[in-house]
Amino acid sequence: MGKNMKLVTNPLNLNNPILVQILGICSALAVTVKLEPAIVMAVSVTLVVAFANVIISLLRNTIPSRIRIIVQLVVIAALVIVVDQILKAYSYTVSKQLSVFVGLIITNCILMGRLEAFALGNKPWQSFLDGVGNGGGYSLILIIVAFVRELLGSGTLTLPSVGEIQIIPQSFYDAGYQNNGLVILPPAALIIVGVIIWVQRSYTRELIDEKE
Amino acid sequence: MKGLRKYIEKIKPRFEKGGKYENWHSVFESFETFLFVSGETAPKKGAHIRDAIDSKRLMSVVVIALIPAMLFGMWNSGYQHFLSLGQNVAFFQEFWHGFIKVLPIILVSYIAGLGTEFVFVYIKKKEIEEGFLVSGLLIPLIVPVDIPLWMVAVATILAVIFGKEVFGGTGMNIVNPALLTRAILFFAYPSKMSGDKIWISGLEKGTGIVDGFSGATPLAQAASTTHEQLTQHGFQFFDGFKENAINFYDMFMGWIPGSIGETSTLMILIGAAILLYTGVASWKIMLSGLVGAAVMGIMLNTFATPTNPYMALPFYYHYVMGGFAFGLVFMATDPVSAAQTERGKWIYGFLIGVMAILIRVLNPAYPEGMMLAILLMNVFAPLIDYYVIRGNVSKRLKRVKVK
């Protein structure tokens, strides 16, 4: 059981897909301007990667290795379409905000990476846990980045089914405070991810490169 | 002076290893070497030749060269302010108004920047570096006079951390930290960094402003010239009032709205003379920058179209408008972020001139192209150096005879 637990906890920190493997950066830049789309995106990716892992793991002995990439893509694409339709049906505004990025989950490097590296060689239950762990690691970073960007860039936090909450009080604005426009721009997401990597490496000995 | 030296010698042991304030050693040492040239000459081992001028002295020369532009900027801030109020006041009153406005910006920039550096020095336990001595004075001179102080502080801290300290401190930075501060301000708080209202102190608040006064800079005026105006009158510039035309000479002298220290080309030329005489800045970068701007300006003149009348502006106007002169003299020549090779400096300066004019004239979103041009070329400088060195290597390899 301890080993299975590690499948979930490892990707949260030591083997985080964004911070350590540097995968899935593109969507971390694109959907983190507001917190709500980031949360929805995080949940969608976690669901897709977990279930794609299970399906590929079930099929792993029957997929001919020559066409495995195509099979993986078909599975991911099918799941993404399901997620996209659910979003359109139940939270149309978020689906509009995410626009093309839901479809682009198909090209998210984390998905192909986990399918190739893990699901093809492991049992369904382990693959599911691995998918949940990696989706969780991705979600964690996405939500942190979106939190910082929305707070500093718009002064608000948008939560699903709650809506926009004004965090920075009006009196601050009256006193001359202004939202930071730089944080809204995509490069700021890279800087924030960089800062998170900086903090993580200064606290985690295992990740520090040995001095030459 | 002697007393100060004696005092430093007296308190020195407390900061040495085992002393009471051991942790503050690096901070102490930086102050000591700032006040007095370090007594060390050549190291015991190796053959290193050392100049008596260390980088703290070098930076001081740049600070001295900046003083004419700074003093003029203070006076001009006051002059523009009282012009907008329609009042005629004494020279000293104008200077005093600007002084009161500019001094806090200088203080905030130094406190925020040096504070950040001290924190990093304390964490890393290394000697503090002197790079911020110049950046701290450059930052106030390239921002509008009415910029809120907290914005200056935020941008300075971010620029020092992400522009300098993460790369390893002074001498390791890829881009010029002062210019990065301005870029952060520009993208983070565009409403306080661009437009017609922010260049003159008190204009945005709008109390007591004379009717019909506009705070548009010559750059903005040139950009908004229409084709009809151009064909009827040619390019026309005016100060706050439509009827007061200003010409090339006024822009050269610098009594125009703009960032604090960048308006007066004359004062910048004095600074340039100091820098060139002492050999601190590279004349190659300055000259090739001027040539680059001229080439690009003439090229745009040749292809000027009715849809963008700005293209017809004679190239020499670009020298005296906006931050071109200031950027070329004080920012582009920054020895750390500029190209290091001699041929590289020609290419680097030339491309800065070309890019600055290109961005100014052809990109309506950025009225001033100098900041972006220098930052862009800062990033490319190592690449230029690399190819210059490779070119030299292959040239010399040809001379080698293989037997």
Side-chain angles (χ1 to χ4, degrees), chain B residues 123-265:
Chain B
I123 296 170
K124 289 186 184 165
K125 299 259 184 292
K126 57 172 192 179
E127 195 194 343
I128 194 170
E129 282 133 348
E130 42 286 314
F132 202 77
L133 231 53
V134 172
S135 307
L137 190 55
L138 280 173
I139 293 166
L141 297 188
I142 53 175
V143 294
V145 63
D146 255 0
I147 186 101
L149 295 175
W150 69 270
M151 287 183 188
V152 178
V154 167
T156 308
I157 291 169
L158 286 178
V160 170
I161 294 177
F162 294 111
K164 210 155 98 176
E165 291 302 335
V166 295
F167 292 108
T170 304
M172 306 290 194
N173 46 310
I174 293 173
V175 297
N176 186 317
L179 214 50
L180 187 64
T181 308
R182 193 182 198 279
I184 291 174
L185 281 172
F186 183 80
F187 287 107
Y189 308 109
S191 68
K192 295 283 175 195
M193 288 296 288
S194 50
D196 290 347
K197 292 281 173 204
I198 50 128
W199 304 108
I200 297 170
S201 82
L203 187 59
E204 207 183 6
K205 256 191 217 140
T207 39
I209 306 294
V210 179
D211 278 348
F213 185 88
S214 121
T217 60
L219 268 179
Q221 294 169 20
S224 61
T225 303
T226 61
H227 183 59
E228 285 76 45
Q229 287 170 342
L230 185 65
T231 44
Q232 278 165 22
H233 317 283
F235 276 100
Q236 280 184 322
F237 299 99
F238 48 89
D239 68 0
F241 302 101
K242 259 268 155 47
E243 57 272 20
N244 291 356
I246 56 172
N247 53 24
F248 187 85
Y249 171 77
D250 296 316
M251 288 189 244
F252 176 79
M253 295 305 286
W255 31 73
I256 50 174
S259 295
I260 294 167
E262 65 169 29
T263 56
S264 172
T265 313

Side-chain angles (χ1 to χ4, degrees), chain A residues 176-182 185 191 195 198, chain B residues 120 150-151 162 166 184 187-189 191-192:
Chain A
Y177 177 82
Q178 277 195 8
N179 290 325
N180 190 321
L182 187 67
L185 302 174
I191 294 174
V195 172
W198 185 4
Chain B
F120 273 88
W150 69 270
M151 287 183 188
F162 294 111
V166 295
I184 291 174
F187 287 107
Y189 308 109
S191 68
K192 295 283 175 195

Side-chain angles (χ1 to χ4, degrees), chain B residues 25-66:
Chain B
H25 175 73
S26 50
V27 176
F28 170 77
E29 193 172 271
S30 49
F31 272 115
E32 191 201 348
T33 48
F34 174 69
L35 294 170
F36 294 100
V37 178
S38 137
E40 291 167 37
T41 48
K44 292 209 171 65
K45 272 184 183 171
H48 305 289
I49 298 171
R50 287 203 181 173
D51 199 306
I53 302 289
D54 58 9
S55 58
K56 282 197 176 79
R57 259 33 69 172
L58 202 81
M59 297 291 180
S60 307
V61 172
V62 185
V63 171
I64 291 167
L66 279 168

Side-chain angles (χ1 to χ4, degrees), chain A residues 55-106:
Chain A
I55 295 170
I56 292 296
S57 175
L58 286 169
L59 296 172
R60 70 184 187 279
N61 295 325
T62 48
I63 304 174
S65 76
R66 258 196 219 166
I67 59 159
R68 65 180 196 284
I69 302 280
I70 300 173
V71 176
Q72 289 165 9
L73 274 179
V74 169
V75 170
I76 300 170
L79 286 168
V80 167
I81 290 169
V82 172
V83 168
D84 194 24
Q85 294 302 318
I86 292 174
L87 281 182
K88 272 189 185 142
Y90 291 100
S91 72
Y92 187 67
T93 43
V94 179
S95 152
K96 274 227 139 170
Q97 278 175 349
L98 286 171
S99 65
V100 68
F101 291 102
V102 176
L104 284 178
I105 295 177
I106 300 169

